[in-house]
Amino acid sequence: MLDTKLYSFLKVVQHRSYTKAAEDLNLTQPAVTQHVKKLESYYDCQLIQIEGKAVHLTEQGKLLYTYANFQNANEEQLINQMNKVRTPIKIGATLSIADYYLPKYLSSYLNQYDEIPSVTVKNTKSIIELLLNNELYCAFIEGIFDKSLFHYYELINTRFLPVARKGHPLEGREVSLADIHTYPLILREKGSGTREIYENYLYEHNDSLLSASKIFEISSFGVIKSVIKKTDAISFMYEEVAKKEVEKGELCYLALEGDSNKRPLYFIYPSNSLMKERNELFYQRLIQGYTI
């Protein structure tokens, strides 16, 4: 059973208000305030800062919020298990993986097992938030994540490449970042794994997006591919995302000098999740089913 003080703390953060939290909990506001103060006294640090009417978490408060969320969700799962209630496994996937890599694994899995997973598709940042809030059990993601918070497996190692129209001026030769920068660049929105990977790649090479001549943001790979087919714009994506169009002679992969182009796609779940055994079983069945 989650400690009353922790539950009050969760409600204050969720509502961003002591008053609304008190109404939700059917308590007085001083009582809720006292619960938070006792937590701050116990942990010997400030958890919440008030600026005007806004409630903000300190860095220590963010850590406690993640912990309390895990405890609350784990208790719900424990109660479900005790009552022999088996909920569908809730998994997340980033756009590249969901549309171009995961279907072949899920197809084999669904042909062998009765369980039908619930799949949520969002960008990497949103998927991580859902995992930390215990709204998802596990996820398939690209990009960078805090490995101290998650147990993870490398699902596949695949090429991450610059893609352009067939017949692009840079096709057929080894190109540099300086070459790439002379053409319009199309990226997905902030928070997406592909964008984060490219920005990190630039950082590793003492470069940044400021070097690009033009940058356009498009969240859909379908739209991105349609645009680069008809322009000299370049985008970065995983090999499988553009494979069909490359094979049809509509797009091409550009050869970026000095780069192995290999990037991992991951299966992850929170390290202290009560759903560990179920997540592990799901992943092992998924992998084994596809390799059979």
Side-chain angles (χ1 to χ4, degrees):
M1 183 174 178
L2 193 68
D3 183 90
T4 304
K5 296 184 291 297
L6 281 176
Y7 197 62
S8 292
F9 171 72
L10 279 177
K11 288 296 181 181
V12 171
V13 177
Q14 289 166 3
H15 289 292
R16 297 289 176 183
S17 164
Y18 280 89
T19 302
K20 291 181 180 179
E23 292 174 356
D24 192 356
L25 294 166
N26 199 26
L27 296 172
T28 65
Q29 184 175 329
V32 174
T33 301
Q34 189 63 27
H35 285 169
V36 174
K37 285 184 177 179
K38 285 184 178 180
L39 286 174
E40 290 180 327
S41 176
Y42 178 79
Y43 290 108
D44 194 23
C45 64
Q46 187 175 6
L47 300 172
I48 290 176
Q49 293 177 330
I50 306 295
E51 297 180 10
K53 295 183 178 180
V55 172
H56 299 286
L57 285 174
T58 64
E59 290 303 310
Q60 294 93 332
K62 291 177 183 177
L63 291 174
L64 182 62
Y65 181 67
T66 298
Y67 166 79
N69 257 325
F70 277 134
Q71 294 300 101
N72 191 41
N74 282 344
E75 180 165 335
E76 290 179 6
Q77 289 299 329
L78 178 60
I79 292 171
N80 284 339
Q81 290 177 13
M82 286 180 171
N83 293 329
K84 296 183 179 180
V85 174
R86 189 170 180 84
T87 56
I89 187 165
K90 294 183 285 187
I91 67 176
T94 54
L95 188 60
S96 297
I97 299 176
D99 285 352
Y100 301 98
Y101 290 92
L102 190 57
K104 60 187 179 184
Y105 288 95
L106 280 181
S107 296
S108 297
Y109 178 87
L110 295 176
N111 283 333
Q112 297 179 67
Y113 303 102
D114 292 332
E115 183 178 52
I116 300 177
S118 169
V119 183
T120 297
V121 180
K122 292 183 179 292
N123 66 31
T124 300
K125 181 181 178 182
S126 298
I127 291 293
I128 292 294
E129 290 175 353
L130 290 172
L131 285 168
L132 291 177
N133 289 332
N134 286 287
E135 294 176 57
L136 295 174
Y137 297 169
C138 55
F140 298 90
I141 71 162
E142 61 206 82
I144 301 166
F145 61 96
D146 187 345
K147 292 183 171 62
S148 68
L149 295 178
F150 297 95
H151 191 86
Y152 59 92
Y153 292 101
E154 189 175 296
L155 175 69
I156 189 172
N157 218 321
T158 187
R159 295 197 299 167
F160 183 73
L161 302 162
V163 177
R165 66 173 175 84
K166 187 68 176 175
H168 191 280
L170 296 182
E171 183 184 6
R173 64 185 182 89
E174 194 172 60
V175 301
S176 65
L177 280 174
D179 295 325
I180 298 289
H181 292 326
T182 61
Y183 294 92
L185 178 67
I186 302 179
L187 297 174
R188 289 192 57 223
E189 76 285 356
K190 292 180 180 179
S192 68
T194 50
R195 182 182 182 127
E196 188 174 32
I197 288 169
Y198 182 58
E199 288 185 333
N200 191 57
Y201 176 80
L202 289 174
Y203 177 79
E204 291 171 352
H205 290 78
N206 297 314
D207 206 338
S208 75
L209 292 179
L210 295 175
S211 299
S213 59
K214 292 181 181 178
I215 295 177
F216 300 95
E217 285 189 10
I218 300 176
S219 61
S220 164
F221 278 119
V223 176
I224 291 174
K225 288 186 290 185
S226 293
V227 171
I228 61 178
K229 285 178 189 177
K230 301 175 182 178
T231 67
D232 282 342
I234 296 170
S235 187
F236 280 74
M237 57 190 72
Y238 289 101
E239 182 176 18
E240 195 72 19
V241 177
K243 184 178 179 181
K244 182 178 178 180
E245 289 79 7
V246 170
E247 290 177 347
K248 291 169 65 176
E250 298 171 342
L251 298 176
C252 70
Y253 303 122
L254 300 180
L256 191 57
E257 64 182 15
D259 185 41
S260 65
N261 299 326
K262 288 283 189 176
R263 297 291 186 277
L265 305 179
Y266 294 101
F267 171 79
I268 71 172
Y269 63 84
S271 298
N272 58 352
S273 171
L274 192 63
M275 302 301 294
K276 177 181 178 179
E277 290 186 9
R278 193 171 178 191
N279 289 333
E280 289 280 342
L281 179 61
F282 168 71
Y283 180 70
Q284 294 305 322
R285 285 178 168 179
L286 190 82
I287 298 302
Q288 292 169 3
Y290 182 67
T291 56
I292 290 175

